[in-house]
């Protein structure tokens, strides 16, 4: 297809690629290139770049123009586009054959004006670091007035745009002005001070401001805020590394991510974007991680590329009612400059790459992210959420790096497209749990006991992957160690434990029996419960003294430690309060729903009917209708829904299920009416059952000949967790009795150990065996152990990319061997080494009907392959063996070949990218010669030479059932490749 036709055909996509970020940068870079190449005249350029016209209109004008200029211009345009937007190549764009035609610009550049034009792309780049100096030179030489300078420096322009406006002005001033610019750049280049020169000259007051800001950031971040209610704990003493992962797999394996990698280049998917997202569930440690970064920056121990760091909490920004400019936002919400405010802000504008903004808890903002309302002038006032959204997408303060944290639910595609990269925070690793517990207890003997009790209760250990739960468990170690058999199993158990701990901490128990501890504090629980409940229903996480009063929260209730004083850097307000953690607010809301006799009857039904309302904001609107109406809530109704409302309601519902479990009946005995409680229990059980049925009804009928497969819909895992919290096998059984599928797919569902516990609790009641696909989650070894109770109903288990080690495999296989249905396992991309192969070998020896073993992308060497070979020798059933991306080498290939030589079952074998050479190929030829079953052999990306391939060809001469041998990327010349393909078409070389 001609370039002209391509431009026409892809018009919509091109427009989108050029304009969807909202920034004119892409378009302007393309224009720079086309101007430099002489494809656009200066008049063309001025007709496209009409000041004040919409970006899309400018881009359309350009497309019309290049199209009418014909094929050559279209080719150069597509090439320029490819240069400016390398990321669109992967997005189905076609540039076919264009790049070869790029016109070299060989014309002699007779005047300076021409030079500025033909070198425009590189001059724009060079100028952006020294705009002020260039302007000064132009003023000195009499070419520019101060009005010219002001137009160039307009704050709405990014540094590259300022450079372009400067060049545009220079053009109108004649050749001698152009010469001044060229000479200035030349001089800077010679002194080596280009680009970096101007960042080194901050205004005098700046250093004072920097000091003030960093000491304020340091003071805000050195203690862990949630300990405020009980005891203060220094972040240095308690901070434990969480597990960080890139959301997009890096091409080159970048190893475990450290704190500073959050900002670094690893995993960047969109170079143009400035915003990095840290995504994690409630309590996974997002705020704490940011706090740590702030502290390290303030101390000069990290992120020193940034001279200023402005931290924001979305929770606090919610209460900003005024319209603000960016300048006001920075200075009023973070740190006020005592003098020279204007100069300091100008420095920030001039040096965006030296500035970092952090926004904690985007999910807590009352408004969901939207990029509809654009502003780009830093002095324009707007509601704070609008400022925030424009900062995130880069239409405001382009070039300033921004880090935001959020729960995954609040991040839709609208936001994702503006992200530079996404980092997942997945709580503590098993080692992290241990570190945290040891740091938390100065008494090593206590720490050892807590750890011992966690090892004995793996359901609880699984919960401790969530840092907030790890903290609770450590905090309540006395209760934990004292409760013996009744040690906590569910999240509700853990929160009940901390409830008991705090209540008794403040006023020691009159009775030692568990029965009594709640009763004595019922009013406190109800007051706090009402506050929490109304807050959840109205997306409110910060409460004023008046809010507390309305719900009857007394000074005594307040002292219990569940509420902490909210610290806001802007704090000129009167005292404000928040719950120790958002999950604690959900827990109190749930207590209120269970205990309050006046709670609206429909609350439970509405709470559990959430999955239908996901994303519509209806969830909380319906839910709010259950509140007694007051003026304040009336006002809240009108506001837009936040994306994280549903998750908060889901957490609350999970607690409601847990609190209504039969196991806790005795706790409520004297706190509320038994009949009311029964009714609520029945209601929850009914809702859960109904919710499940809805999911099952949505499963499509299978295409003929295919398996019936269910991909988990949003809300499925949540329902499963609610059932687990109730701890009623009968409900789990009832739910599963209606599920008829062959394959259950739960990929990318944020499944960690806790979810595994719940899944196993419910899925073990399935009536027919299923394939359970859990790829791309964070199951880990603890999660694997949690899955064991449902292994007997799994005929296949897919656990690709799940952080599983040899230890997890040991336990999995020990159980798998006893399960008749278990026939397939896929463990691609985990942390497996040779230490696990003995277990697979044992599995193969024991299970004579095992079908598929896939261990790709692990660390298995020749030793491991030899172990596997022991099992393979005596196994008559295996059909698929995948070892892609290990390191078995020739010795490993030889061992496998000798074990599989006369296999009658193996259909498919992959040893891609394993360092297999000619000796290995020679051995594998024996399988081809003797096996009666093998159809496909994958040997791509090895180091097999001609001699090795000769052996394979010879073996194929005696084999008619073999379909293909894949040999791409081995040690063969192109002539050898040609010759071999001609001799044996089954070789794919
Ligand atoms: P999120 O912001 O994801 O909801 P937080 O950062 O508020 O989670 O963490 C909740 C609690 O968990 C913290 O108050 C702290 O007690 C504990 N915590 C979280 N991350 C860490 C960490 N890295 N080291 C020590 N404790 C942590």
């Amino acid at each position: 297809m001609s370039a002209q036709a391509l431009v026409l055909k892809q018009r919509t996509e091109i427009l989108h690629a050029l304009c969807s970020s909202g920034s004119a940068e892409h378009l302007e870079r393309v224009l720079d290139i086309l101007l430099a190449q002489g494809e656009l005249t200066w008049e063309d350029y001025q007709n496209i770049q009409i000041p004040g016209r919409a970006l899309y209109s400018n881009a359309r004008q350009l497309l019309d123009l290049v199209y009418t200029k014909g094929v050559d211009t279209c080719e150069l345009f597509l090439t320029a586009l490819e240069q400016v937007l390398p990321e669109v190549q992967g997005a189905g764009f076609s540039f076919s054959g264009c790049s070869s035609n790029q016109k070299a610009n060989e014309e002699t550049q007779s005047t300076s004006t021409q030079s500025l034009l033909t070198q425009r792309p590189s001059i724009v780049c060079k100028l952006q670091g020294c705009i002020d100096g260039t302007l000064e030179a132009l003023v000195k030489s009499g070419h520019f007035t101060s009005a010219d300078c002001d137009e160039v420096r307009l704050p709405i322009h990014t540094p590259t745009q300022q450079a372009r406006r400067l060049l545009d002005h220079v053009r109108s001033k004649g050749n001698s002005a152009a010469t001044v610019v060229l000479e200035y750049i030349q001089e800077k280049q010679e002194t080596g001070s280009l680009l970096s020169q101007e960042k080194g000259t901050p205004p005098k007051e700046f250093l004072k401001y920097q000091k003030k800001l960093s000491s304020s950031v340091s003071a805000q971040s050195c203690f862990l805020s949630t300990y405020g209610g009980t005891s203060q704990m220094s972040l240095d003493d308690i901070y434990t590394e969480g597990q960080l992962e890139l959301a997009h797999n890096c091409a080159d394996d970048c190893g475990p991510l450290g704190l500073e990698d959050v900002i670094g280049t690893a995993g960047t998917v969109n170079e143009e974007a400035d915003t990095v997202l840290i995504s994690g569930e409630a309590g996974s440690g997002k705020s704490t991680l940011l706090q740590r970064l702030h502290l390290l920056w303030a101390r000069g121990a990290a992120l020193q590329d940034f001279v200023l760091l402005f931290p924001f909490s979305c929770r606090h920004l919610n209460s900003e009612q005024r319209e603000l400019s960016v300048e006001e936002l920075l200075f009023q919400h973070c740190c006020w400059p005592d003098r020279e405010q204007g100069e300091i802000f100008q420095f920030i504008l001039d040096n965006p790459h030296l500035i970092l903004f952090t926004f904690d808890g985007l999910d807590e903002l009352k408004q969901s992210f939207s990029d509809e309302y654009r502003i780009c002038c830093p002095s324009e006032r707007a509601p704070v959420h609008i400022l925030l959204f424009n900062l995130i997408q880069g239409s405001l303060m382009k070039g300033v790096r921004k880090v935001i944290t959020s729960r995954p639910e609040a991040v839709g595609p609208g936001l994702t497209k503006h992200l530079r990269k996404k980092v997942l925070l997945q709580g503590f690793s098993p080692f992290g749990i241990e570190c945290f517990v040891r740091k938390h207890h100065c008494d090593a003997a206590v720490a050892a006991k807590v750890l011992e009790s966690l090892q004995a209760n793996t359901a609880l250990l699984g919960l401790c992957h969530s840092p907030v739960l790890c903290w609770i468990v450590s905090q309540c170690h006395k209760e934990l160690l004292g409760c013996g058999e009744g040690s906590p199993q569910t999240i509700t158990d853990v929160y009940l434990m901390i409830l008991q701990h705090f209540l008794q901490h403040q006023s020691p128990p009159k009775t030692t029996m568990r029965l009594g501890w709640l009763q004595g504090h019922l009013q406190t629980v109800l007051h706090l419960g009402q506050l929490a409940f109304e807050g959840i229903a109205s997306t409110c996480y910060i409460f004023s003294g008046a809010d507390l009063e309305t719900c009857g929260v007394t000074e005594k209730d307040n002292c219990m430690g569940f509420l902490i004083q909210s610290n806001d850097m802007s704090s000129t307000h009167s005292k404000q309060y928040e719950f120790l953690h958002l999950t604690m607010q959900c827990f109190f809301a749930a207590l209120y729903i269970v205990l309050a006799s006046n709670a609206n009857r429909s609350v439970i039904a509405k709470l559990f009917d959430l999955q239908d309302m996901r994303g519509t904001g209806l969830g909380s609107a319906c839910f709010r209708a259950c509140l007694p109406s007051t003026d304040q809530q009336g006002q809240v109704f009108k506001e837009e829904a936040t994306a994280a409302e549903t998750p908060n309601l889901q957490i609350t519902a999970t607690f409601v299920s847990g609190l209504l479990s039969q196991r806790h009946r005795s706790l409520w005995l004297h706190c509320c009416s038994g009949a009311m409680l029964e009714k609520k229990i029945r209601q929850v059980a009914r809702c859960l059952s109904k919710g499940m049925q809805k999911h099952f009804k949505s499963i499509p009928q299978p295409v003929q000949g295919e398996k019936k497969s269910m991909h988990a819909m949003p809300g499925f895992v949540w329902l499963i967790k609610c059932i687990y919290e109730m701890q009623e096998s009968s409900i789990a059984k009832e739910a599963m009795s209606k599920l008829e599928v062959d394959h259950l797919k739960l990929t990318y569902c944020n499944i960690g150990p806790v979810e595994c516990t719940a899944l196993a609790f419910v899925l073990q009641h399935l009536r027919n065996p299923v394939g359970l696909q859990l790829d791309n989650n964070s199951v880990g070894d603890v999660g694997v152990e949690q899955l064991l109770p449902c292994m007997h109903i799994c005929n296949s288990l897919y656990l690709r990319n799940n952080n599983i080690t040899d230890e997890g495999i040991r336990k999995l296989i020990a159980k798998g061997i006893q399960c008749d249905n278990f026939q397939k396992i896929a463990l691609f991309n985990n942390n497996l080494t040779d230490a696990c192969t003995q277990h697979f070998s044992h599995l193969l020896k024991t299970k004579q009907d095992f079908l598929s073993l896939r261990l790709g992308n692990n660390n298995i060497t020749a030793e491991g392959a030899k172990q596997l070979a022991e099992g393979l020798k005596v196994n008559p059933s295996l059909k698929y063996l995948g070892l892609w991306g290990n390191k078995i080498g020739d010795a490993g290939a030889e061992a496998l070949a000798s074990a599989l030589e006369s296999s009658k079952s193996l259909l498919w074998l992959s040893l891609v990218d394993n360092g297999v050479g000619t000796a290995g190929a020679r051995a594998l030829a024996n399988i081809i010669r003797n096996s009666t079953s093998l159809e496909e052999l994958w040997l791509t990306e090895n180091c097999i030479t001609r001699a090795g391939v000769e052996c394979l060809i010879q073996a194929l001469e005696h084999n008619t059932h073999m379909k293909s041998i894949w040999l791409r990327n081995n040690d063969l010349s192109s002539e050898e490749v040609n010759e071999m393909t001609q001799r044996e078409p089954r070789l794919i070389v």
Side-chain angles (χ1 to χ4, degrees):
M1 193 183 289
S2 80
Q4 204 174 12
L6 277 175
V7 168
L8 195 63
K9 183 164 171 264
Q10 301 180 122
R11 189 175 167 94
T12 314
E13 292 81 2
I14 294 174
L15 279 172
H16 182 78
L18 282 174
C19 308
S20 65
S21 71
S23 147
E25 184 62 25
H26 289 146
L27 177 66
E28 295 199 4
R29 279 176 63 194
V30 171
L31 291 174
D32 289 344
I33 297 171
L34 295 177
L35 271 175
Q37 290 172 340
E39 284 308 311
L40 293 186
T41 64
W42 192 251
E43 289 65 39
D44 293 336
Y45 172 71
Q46 284 175 319
N47 283 336
I48 294 167
Q49 278 289 71
I50 298 200
R53 193 168 63 174
L55 177 60
Y56 269 97
S57 307
N58 290 351
R60 281 195 189 99
Q61 177 93 26
L62 171 66
L63 286 178
D64 294 346
L65 193 66
V66 293
Y67 184 79
T68 48
K69 280 183 182 252
V71 177
D72 289 348
T73 309
C74 286
E75 283 193 3
L76 287 163
F77 168 71
L78 287 175
T79 312
L81 202 60
E82 191 176 6
Q83 229 171 306
V84 168
L85 299 165
E87 72 271 21
V88 300
Q89 270 179 297
F93 248 170
S94 173
F95 299 104
S96 55
C98 304
S99 23
S100 58
N101 291 345
Q102 186 160 13
K103 194 161 83 179
N105 196 347
E106 288 156 356
E107 286 162 34
T108 45
Q109 294 147 16
S110 55
T111 66
S112 298
T113 304
Q114 262 175 340
S115 300
L116 281 194
L117 202 61
T118 51
Q119 298 167 30
R120 187 175 167 99
S122 79
I123 290 180
V124 165
C125 189
K126 287 175 188 163
L127 274 180
Q128 48 173 312
C130 57
I131 300 281
D132 284 343
T134 321
L135 287 173
E136 223 169 86
L138 285 162
V139 171
K140 237 191 234 165
S141 62
H143 292 99
F144 265 38
T145 62
S146 63
D148 292 328
C149 297
D150 289 347
E151 272 188 55
V152 170
R153 282 206 200 98
L154 271 184
I156 51 165
H157 294 149
T158 63
T160 46
Q161 285 171 334
Q162 289 186 349
R164 291 189 187 100
R165 293 309 74 87
L166 188 148
L167 291 176
D168 298 352
H169 268 286
V170 165
R171 193 177 167 90
S172 66
K173 305 280 180 182
N175 197 49
S176 60
T179 311
V180 171
V181 174
L182 284 173
E183 282 173 2
Y184 185 79
I185 293 178
Q186 179 74 23
E187 187 192 324
K188 287 286 147 194
Q189 231 158 1
E190 279 162 13
T191 55
S193 55
L194 211 59
L195 281 168
S196 59
Q197 184 251 347
E198 288 193 1
K199 87 176 182 194
T201 55
K204 263 195 246 108
E205 270 305 307
F206 178 83
L207 292 176
K208 277 193 199 155
Y209 180 67
Q210 192 187 27
K211 213 161 162 195
K212 184 176 177 187
L213 177 66
S214 66
S215 54
S216 142
V217 170
S218 167
Q220 291 289 333
S221 49
C222 58
F223 291 106
L224 208 56
S225 58
T226 51
Y227 291 88
T230 48
S231 60
Q232 290 238 316
M233 198 168 266
S234 120
L235 191 64
D236 283 330
D237 292 341
I238 194 69
Y239 187 78
T240 307
E241 295 278 331
Q243 303 181 92
L244 282 170
E245 224 177 71
L246 290 170
H248 307 88
N249 281 338
C250 237
D252 38 279
D253 186 9
C254 4
L257 283 197
L259 257 190
E260 286 202 75
D261 296 323
V262 168
I263 321 269
T265 51
T268 302
V269 287
N270 181 359
E271 291 280 353
E272 286 292 313
D274 303 319
T275 302
V276 172
L277 168 72
I278 303 173
S279 165
E281 300 293 339
S284 62
K286 301 179 293 296
S287 311
T288 312
L289 183 143
L290 267 195
Q291 201 177 324
R292 184 72 183 155
L293 279 176
H294 297 161
L295 185 63
L296 293 177
W297 173 80
R299 278 193 193 141
L303 306 180
Q304 291 306 292
D305 289 346
F306 300 101
V307 295
L308 297 179
L309 184 155
F310 292 94
F312 297 94
S313 146
C314 295
R315 181 177 284 204
H316 290 126
L317 291 179
N318 269 333
S319 49
E320 179 57 83
Q321 305 295 333
R322 294 168 299 169
E323 295 205 346
L324 299 179
S325 68
V326 177
E327 182 170 346
E328 288 162 336
L329 178 76
L330 297 185
F331 294 159
Q332 294 182 15
H333 273 264
C334 291
C335 177
W336 186 259
D338 295 321
R339 298 174 56 191
E340 308 293 357
Q341 194 179 326
E343 260 192 67
I344 293 174
F345 189 61
Q346 189 59 47
F347 180 81
I348 295 172
L349 290 178
D350 291 343
N351 297 277
H353 54 295
L354 301 179
I355 315 294
L356 179 66
F357 295 169
T358 67
F359 296 98
D360 188 25
L362 189 70
D363 49 83
E364 292 188 26
L365 210 63
K366 280 190 202 285
Q367 298 81 4
S368 300
F369 179 83
S370 139
D371 53 10
E372 271 164 30
Y373 188 86
R374 284 279 160 82
I375 46 173
C376 46
C377 173
S379 54
E380 186 179 340
R381 290 208 169 101
V384 167
H385 69 276
I386 303 280
L387 286 188
L388 177 53
F389 298 158
N390 279 278
L391 287 169
I392 290 175
Q393 59 186 289
S395 39
L396 260 185
M397 309 294 277
K398 179 88 193 140
V400 170
R401 192 56 58 82
K402 296 106 189 172
V403 179
I404 53 176
T405 71
S406 174
R407 282 186 277 170
E409 298 84 356
V411 183
L415 174 58
T416 303
K417 71 172 187 243
H418 298 295
L419 293 180
R420 185 173 178 83
K421 69 175 183 183
K422 185 164 151 187
V423 176
L424 309 176
L425 180 56
Q426 299 185 313
F428 292 150
S429 65
F431 177 68
I433 296 176
E434 191 179 326
C435 285
F436 178 87
V437 171
R438 291 196 196 283
K439 285 183 179 182
H440 196 274
H441 299 283
C442 7
D443 184 342
V446 175
K449 273 194 197 151
V450 171
L451 286 169
E452 197 182 308
S453 74
L454 286 181
Q455 296 301 342
N457 178 352
T458 52
L460 186 58
L461 183 64
L463 291 173
C464 287
H465 280 258
S466 162
V468 72
L469 297 182
C470 201
W471 169 70
I472 293 181
V473 165
S474 297
Q475 191 76 7
C476 303
H477 66 274
K478 289 204 181 102
E479 289 79 357
L480 180 72
L481 299 176
C483 55
E485 289 219 330
S487 116
Q489 297 284 320
T490 65
I491 302 184
T492 313
D493 294 349
V494 174
Y495 278 77
L496 277 172
M497 189 165 77
I498 200 160
L499 181 67
Q500 182 179 9
H501 172 86
F502 274 36
L503 294 178
Q504 295 186 341
H505 186 72
Q506 288 301 324
S507 50
K510 293 184 186 66
T511 155
T512 48
M513 286 179 30
R514 204 168 182 228
L515 191 70
W517 66 262
L518 184 64
Q519 218 178 324
H521 296 286
L522 188 60
Q523 286 314 309
T524 298
V525 171
L526 284 172
H527 298 154
L528 290 171
Q530 187 181 341
L531 185 74
F533 176 77
E534 295 189 2
I536 292 286
S538 55
T539 331
C540 179
Y541 314 107
I542 296 191
F543 305 96
S544 64
D547 294 336
L548 266 59
E549 216 169 287
T550 312
C551 295
V553 178
T554 63
E555 192 54 35
K556 183 175 144 264
D557 301 337
N558 196 349
C559 288
M560 287 293 176
F562 298 108
L563 289 178
I564 52 170
Q565 216 162 314
S566 156
N567 54 24
D568 183 353
M569 287 184 98
S570 67
S571 205
T572 43
H573 313 286
S574 48
K575 275 190 191 172
Q576 292 190 314
Y577 304 88
E578 54 194 313
F579 278 87
L580 212 49
H581 192 256
L582 183 74
T583 49
M584 191 66 85
Q585 186 176 343
C586 295
F587 178 64
F588 269 96
L591 279 166
Y592 184 74
I593 294 172
V594 168
L595 289 174
S597 50
N598 57 350
N600 188 304
R601 284 179 181 192
S602 55
V603 164
I604 289 183
K606 298 221 160 95
L607 191 60
F608 282 88
D609 204 16
L610 290 170
Q611 74 262 30
D612 282 354
M613 303 165 189
R614 228 181 120 86
T616 63
L618 270 176
S620 60
C622 289
F623 191 62
R624 270 180 222 136
C626 304
L627 287 177
S629 111
T630 65
D631 284 351
Q632 182 210 349
Q633 284 139 20
Q635 186 204 338
V636 172
F637 284 173
K638 287 185 212 118
E639 292 179 6
E640 290 168 54
T642 159
E645 283 173 333
T646 308
N648 288 340
L649 299 178
Q650 284 186 341
I651 298 173
T652 307
T654 314
F655 282 130
V656 168
S657 313
L659 293 172
L660 289 173
S661 160
Q662 290 293 342
R663 300 152 68 229
H664 300 308
R665 284 294 294 279
S666 57
L667 205 54
W668 321 125
L669 210 57
H670 300 286
C671 298
C672 61
S673 123
M676 177 188 80
L677 212 57
E678 280 301 335
K679 213 161 143 193
K680 289 182 182 174
I681 294 174
R682 280 199 304 275
Q683 222 182 346
V684 170
R686 216 170 30 242
C687 289
L688 290 176
S689 168
K690 246 171 64 184
M692 277 298 193
Q693 300 321 317
K694 252 191 214 165
H695 272 88
F696 302 157
K697 277 191 197 133
S698 68
I699 307 174
Q701 282 306 316
V703 185
Q704 212 180 9
E706 283 194 9
K707 291 190 166 174
K708 190 169 177 190
S709 176
M710 170 182 159
H711 196 313
M713 311 264 276
F716 180 73
V717 178
W718 162 62
L719 280 174
I720 296 262
K721 280 167 84 169
C722 290
I723 295 177
Y724 175 71
E725 289 295 312
M726 286 204 95
Q727 290 285 303
E728 312 267 349
S729 297
S730 57
I731 297 184
K733 216 180 254 174
E734 144 90 17
M736 288 299 104
S737 65
K738 314 244 166 57
L739 177 59
E740 280 176 16
V741 283
D742 303 304
H743 191 91
L744 198 51
K745 196 167 168 186
L746 291 151
T747 52
Y748 292 104
C749 282
N750 283 326
I751 292 181
V754 180
E755 289 72 23
C756 289
T757 315
L759 271 176
F761 180 81
V762 177
L763 295 185
Q764 63 179 301
H765 298 292
L766 271 170
R767 288 190 314 183
N768 299 314
V770 291
L772 182 57
Q773 188 168 357
L774 294 168
D775 299 334
N776 300 307
N777 286 295
S778 44
V779 169
D781 290 348
V782 179
V784 164
E785 196 170 352
Q786 295 306 303
L787 287 174
L788 300 183
C790 72
M791 276 288 286
H792 64 277
I793 55 93
C794 294
N795 48 30
S796 340
L797 194 52
Y798 302 83
L799 287 164
R800 299 178 186 104
N801 204 17
N802 262 302
N803 263 331
I804 296 167
T805 76
D806 302 324
E807 180 54 18
I809 294 303
R810 184 180 67 76
K811 292 180 177 156
L812 182 78
I813 300 299
K815 173 76 184 189
I817 282 171
Q818 301 160 16
C819 300
D820 290 344
N821 293 317
F822 181 49
Q823 289 188 309
K824 294 183 187 171
I825 188 156
L827 287 157
F828 182 86
N829 214 18
N830 281 288
N831 304 321
L832 308 183
T833 72
D834 292 339
C836 75
T837 47
Q838 55 175 316
H839 307 301
F840 288 115
S841 184
H842 182 47
L843 172 88
L844 291 168
K845 283 180 194 166
T846 321
K847 282 191 75 67
Q848 300 271 309
D849 58 351
F850 205 73
L851 295 178
S852 173
L853 178 59
R854 295 177 192 251
L855 301 172
N857 227 26
N858 283 290
N859 292 307
I860 296 170
T861 72
E863 282 316 302
K866 286 177 193 166
Q867 289 272 8
L868 272 182
E870 292 302 310
L872 289 167
K873 251 184 230 163
V874 291
N875 177 287
S877 57
L878 197 75
K879 290 187 175 172
Y880 301 89
L881 177 60
L883 285 164
W884 182 80
N886 284 285
K887 301 179 188 73
I888 68 162
D890 277 337
E894 283 167 346
L896 292 179
S898 102
L900 293 166
E901 214 168 49
S902 46
S903 168
K904 295 189 180 60
S905 61
L906 195 72
L907 292 173
W908 184 93
L909 172 64
S910 168
L911 300 178
V912 172
D913 188 15
N914 256 295
V916 176
T918 303
R922 192 171 294 132
L924 291 166
N926 284 337
I927 313 186
I928 299 169
R929 209 166 277 125
N930 301 323
S931 158
T932 51
S933 55
L934 190 68
E935 292 180 354
E936 269 188 70
L937 176 59
W938 284 78
L939 291 169
T940 316
E941 287 179 39
N942 281 296
C943 39
I944 301 170
T945 60
R946 182 189 181 105
V949 182
E950 281 293 349
C951 299
L952 295 171
I953 293 179
Q954 280 166 23
L956 277 174
E957 284 168 11
H958 307 279
N959 179 319
T960 49
H961 54 269
M962 190 91 190
K963 291 187 179 142
S964 48
I965 303 182
W966 295 76
L967 280 162
R968 289 202 176 123
N969 295 334
N970 277 282
D971 280 354
L972 300 170
S973 68
S974 50
E975 294 79 48
E976 286 169 335
V977 166
N978 283 341
E979 182 210 320
M980 308 222 161
T981 341
Q982 283 187 357
R983 276 173 59 196
E984 178 46 85
R986 286 176 290 173
L987 293 188
I988 301 171
V989 196

